[in-house]
Amino acid sequence: MNIAQAVVSRQVSRVLLALAAIALVLTSLPLAANADEPDESGKSHDLVLQAISFVVNTPGNQEMIAERIEDALEAPDKSGTDLTKVQQAGQALRAGDLRTARQLLQEAIGARGYTGVNAPAPIRETLPAPATGVQTETHVVLDPLTPSRIPDSGGIVVLTISGLAIAAGVLMLHGDRHRHTIRPRHGSSPGANR
Amino acid sequence: MSVFEPAAKPRGRLRRALDAVDERMGISALQYPVPEHANNLSWSLGGLTAVSFLVLVVTGVYLAQFYHPMPESANQSVRDIVTTVWLGGVARGVHFWAAQAMYVLAALHLLRLFLHASYKRPREGNWLVGVAMFALITTAIFTGTVLKWDQEGFEALAHNVELAQLVGGAGLWFTSELARQVPILVRLNTAHAVIIPGLIAILLILHVLLVKRHTISPHPAIAPTGTEVDEPFTRHIRRVAAMGLVLMGILGVLAVLLPPEVGPTPVEGVEVTRPPWMFWWMFTLENLFGLSAILWGGAALFILLAIVPFADRGPERHWRKRKITIMVAGLILLTIIALTLAMALTPQASHL
C-alpha cells in the first residue's frame, strides 16, 4: 500500500467511524421517544375556537370544520357556549355560507362579530386570569394580515434609499478593485502542509 | 507609525486624532495581513453574515420597543407594529429578510469553509465556534417565528414543547414546567432578544480573534508563500462594508416589495401551517418517521458538522483529493435538499 492509499484508507475508516457514531445516535434516540398524544379537548368552547381557526386557516377544508362543530355539540363540558348558535353555524356551513358560519361560531363563544383584521380584544365580562405556560389566550381568530406589496410614499423613500445604498456599495467595490496576481492551479494542493 | 498612512507624509489634524485613538484603543491590531485570495465574495461570506447580524440587532432593538410578549396581546402588537408604528412595517420586513440572509450566508460560509477544508489544523476550534453560531442562528429563527404568536408560530412552539418532553430533563427550559407562572412566550422573547444574540456576539468575538490568531486560511489551489499580495485586514473590512451596503439595499427593497405576513391568532389543537423553509427537511422526516425524527434529524446534522474536522484529518485540502469526505457531504446535502422539496410538495398533516 502506498502513501496515498494509506491516507485514503485512514480517511475512509474515520468517516465510517463517524457514520457509525451517528447511526448509534439515530437508532437510540427514537427508542427514547414516547410522545404523549394530547387528548381532544372536552370543552365546547375550545372546539368552537378550533372550528373558527379552520375557517380562517383552511376554509376549503369543510370536513374538519364540520367535525369540530359536531365535537363541540357533543363535548361533555358545554359551559360558556351557546349551542343553538353552534347548531346554526353547522347549518350555515352545510349551506355553504362560511361567513355566516364563522359569525355564528364567534357569537356562540361570546366573541365579537368579525369587523376586520384589526378587530381587537374579545368581549368578556370579567378580566381573565394572566396567561401561563403555553396558553394561547386567543378568543377571536383574526384573519392573516398581509401588508400591501405596493409601496406607499414611505415605501418609495425606503426603496430610493435602498437603491442608493446598492449603487454606493457597487461604486465602492468598483473603486476598490485589487490587482489579480494569482491564478489557482486546479487539482493541486500546495497548501496541504500549512 | 500611523495606522492610516506611511509615516513619511505630513500628518493632518484628523490623522493625528486618529492616531491618538489608535494609541489608546489599539486599532492598528486590525491591520494584520489578508491574502489576495480572500478579496472576493466567497471569502467575505462570514463578514456579510456579521453585517446581517448587525442589521438584525438594530431592527430588533427598534421592534422590541413596540412588541408586547404576553400571549393576550403579542399577535396584536405585531399587527400594530406593521400598521401604526412609524417605519414599523419596514423595520419588521428588514428584520425578517435579514434573518433569512443571515441563515443563507452562514450556511454558504460553512459550505465554502468545508470545500476549502478551512477547518483543518489549527482551525478545528474555530470551526466548532462557527457551527455553534449556526445552531444559534437556527434557534433565533425558531424563536422569532414563535414570537409572532400566530398559528405558524404557535404550532412551531407546540412541536418544540413535545420534543422537549421527549428528552426529559434536557428539554426542561422549553417546557412550561420550569416557570409555571410565566408564559413560555415571555421566556422565548428573552431568549430571542437577549440570550441568543448575546451568545452569538460572544462567539463572534471569539471567532474573529481566532481568525486573527490563525490568519485567513490558505487557498488549497494556491502556492503557500510568496505568490500573493497581502492587504491589511482594514482594507478587507472596507470591501465587506461595501458588499454590506449592497446587502442592506437588497434587504430594504425586499422589505418594501415582499413584506412578511402576520398570521391568524393561534388556536391550540389545530395543525394547519408549514414551518419556515429552513425547517422543511426536518418536517418531512416527521411526516415519515414521527415527531421524534425532528429531534434526531437536527441532532444528527449538527453532530455531523461538529465532527467534520476530526473525521477528515488528512493533509489534503483540495476537494478533488478528499473524495470520500466530499461524497459523504454531498449525499447529506442532497438528502436535505430532497427532503426540503418533498415538504414543499406534501400536503400539511397533523402530528401532535
Side-chain angles (χ1 to χ4, degrees):
Chain A
M1 185 184 285
N2 60 30
I3 294 172
Q5 284 173 321
V7 167
V8 170
S9 165
R10 204 169 55 205
Q11 210 174 12
V12 169
S13 62
R14 279 183 180 137
V15 170
L16 286 178
L17 261 177
L19 287 176
I22 297 304
L24 190 67
V25 173
L26 296 187
T27 50
S28 60
L29 274 176
L31 290 176
N34 183 26
D36 292 326
E37 289 294 326
D39 295 330
E40 185 180 274
S41 175
K43 293 181 179 175
S44 296
H45 179 281
D46 293 351
L47 292 160
V48 168
L49 200 57
Q50 290 175 7
I52 299 169
S53 182
F54 279 116
V55 171
V56 174
N57 286 288
T58 53
N61 191 351
Q62 300 218 349
E63 193 183 326
M64 288 300 291
I65 304 167
E67 191 183 298
R68 285 298 197 277
I69 289 175
E70 288 300 316
D71 291 344
L73 290 169
E74 292 164 10
D77 182 354
K78 298 181 174 67
S79 58
T81 310
D82 184 338
L83 294 179
T84 310
K85 286 194 185 295
V86 178
Q87 272 176 335
Q88 289 171 350
Q91 289 163 4
L93 183 72
R94 282 191 290 278
D97 187 352
L98 210 57
R99 189 179 177 83
T100 305
R102 178 177 174 181
Q103 181 92 16
L104 287 163
L105 286 170
Q106 289 180 158
E107 288 171 9
I109 53 171
R112 172 157 50 197
Y114 175 72
T115 55
V117 291
N118 292 321
I123 294 169
R124 279 183 161 226
E125 290 179 358
T126 55
L127 284 173
T132 57
V134 289
Q135 290 174 346
T136 61
E137 286 303 301
T138 296
H139 304 288
V140 175
V141 183
L142 301 181
D143 276 326
L145 173 65
T146 309
S148 170
R149 292 182 175 182
I150 301 164
D152 54 12
S153 54
I156 290 170
V157 171
V158 174
L159 279 179
T160 309
I161 294 171
S162 301
L164 289 172
I166 294 171
V170 170
L171 278 175
M172 276 174 72
L173 286 170
H174 185 71
D176 204 30
R177 281 171 303 165
H178 60 91
R179 285 187 305 126
H180 287 279
T181 61
I182 48 173
R183 288 285 178 273
R185 292 177 293 175
H186 295 290
S188 60
S189 189
N193 297 318
R194 290 184 70 179
Chain B
M1 191 176 78
S2 162
V3 177
F4 304 96
E5 65 176 35
K9 288 189 179 177
R11 301 190 327 156
R13 253 184 217 173
L14 177 65
R15 301 210 179 276
R16 283 205 304 275
L18 289 171
D19 283 347
V21 172
D22 175 45
E23 187 183 353
R24 286 152 185 86
M25 304 302 288
I27 299 168
S28 55
L30 289 173
Q31 286 204 305
Y32 63 87
V34 172
E36 186 180 333
H37 69 256
N39 289 326
N40 55 47
L41 179 61
S42 64
W43 289 71
S44 303
L45 289 167
L48 287 174
T49 307
V51 170
S52 306
F53 178 60
L54 192 66
V55 172
L56 282 165
V57 169
V58 172
T59 51
V61 166
Y62 187 67
L63 293 172
Q65 310 310 309
F66 308 101
Y67 176 69
H68 195 311
M70 287 299 286
E72 296 90 332
S73 40
N75 183 283
Q76 185 62 49
S77 73
V78 179
R79 288 166 189 258
D80 289 342
I81 287 171
V82 174
T83 55
T84 64
V85 173
W86 183 73
L87 281 181
V90 172
R92 180 167 184 261
V94 171
H95 195 76
F96 171 84
W97 285 108
Q100 316 288 313
M102 188 172 181
Y103 183 85
V104 172
L105 289 165
L108 290 175
H109 181 49
L110 275 174
L111 198 61
R112 203 282 298 158
L113 293 168
F114 179 81
L115 287 175
H116 287 148
S118 297
Y119 50 77
K120 294 202 172 187
R121 188 181 174 189
R123 299 179 179 83
E124 298 97 323
N126 214 8
W127 169 266
L128 290 179
V129 170
V131 170
M133 280 199 283
F134 189 55
L136 286 168
I137 292 167
T138 310
T139 314
I141 289 176
F142 161 73
T143 51
T145 302
V146 176
L147 292 197
K148 296 179 292 162
W149 210 237
D150 56 7
Q151 192 62 39
E152 180 197 36
F154 183 76
E155 286 178 24
L157 175 66
H159 275 83
N160 202 65
V161 170
E162 290 288 325
L163 290 171
Q165 284 165 356
L166 285 181
V167 293
L172 180 65
W173 194 90
F174 287 100
T175 67
S176 47
E177 301 299 314
L178 180 70
R180 288 178 182 275
Q181 299 308 313
V182 182
I184 203 164
L185 180 64
V186 173
R187 286 195 289 115
L188 282 177
N189 181 51
T190 310
H192 186 77
V194 180
I195 301 172
I196 296 170
L199 287 174
I200 290 178
I202 291 168
L203 290 179
L204 184 60
I205 292 167
L206 181 60
H207 198 61
V208 171
L209 287 175
L210 283 172
V211 169
K212 182 173 184 289
R213 171 87 172 85
H214 299 307
T215 72
I216 304 281
S217 59
H219 193 296
I222 296 171
T225 51
T227 54
E228 295 189 62
V229 178
D230 289 344
E231 283 184 337
F233 183 65
T234 42
R235 187 88 188 264
H236 186 71
I237 290 179
R238 201 165 72 185
R239 199 167 282 118
V240 170
M243 291 179 198
L245 261 181
V246 176
L247 174 66
M248 285 192 273
I250 293 170
L251 294 178
V253 171
L254 287 169
V256 173
L257 298 182
L258 293 172
E261 182 184 273
V262 188
T265 37
V267 173
E268 195 176 356
V270 173
E271 204 175 336
V272 286
T273 66
R274 285 200 175 99
W277 63 269
M278 54 285 278
F279 299 102
W280 283 4
W281 67 275
M282 290 188 197
F283 283 79
T284 304
L285 284 178
E286 184 190 21
N287 280 335
L288 294 171
F289 304 111
L291 183 71
S292 63
I294 296 178
L295 190 67
W296 57 257
L301 176 67
F302 280 99
I303 290 171
L304 276 171
L305 284 172
I307 63 169
V308 162
F310 310 103
D312 178 23
R313 297 178 66 187
E316 293 298 343
R317 288 177 185 272
H318 200 285
W319 66 272
R320 286 183 185 172
K321 298 199 171 182
R322 292 154 49 223
K323 288 192 172 67
I324 305 289
T325 311
I326 295 291
M327 208 168 64
V328 172
L331 271 175
I332 292 167
L333 192 61
L334 279 177
T335 306
I336 289 175
I337 292 170
L339 290 171
T340 300
L341 292 176
M343 177 71 182
L345 303 172
T346 310
Q348 173 59 33
S350 290
H351 307 99
L352 299 178

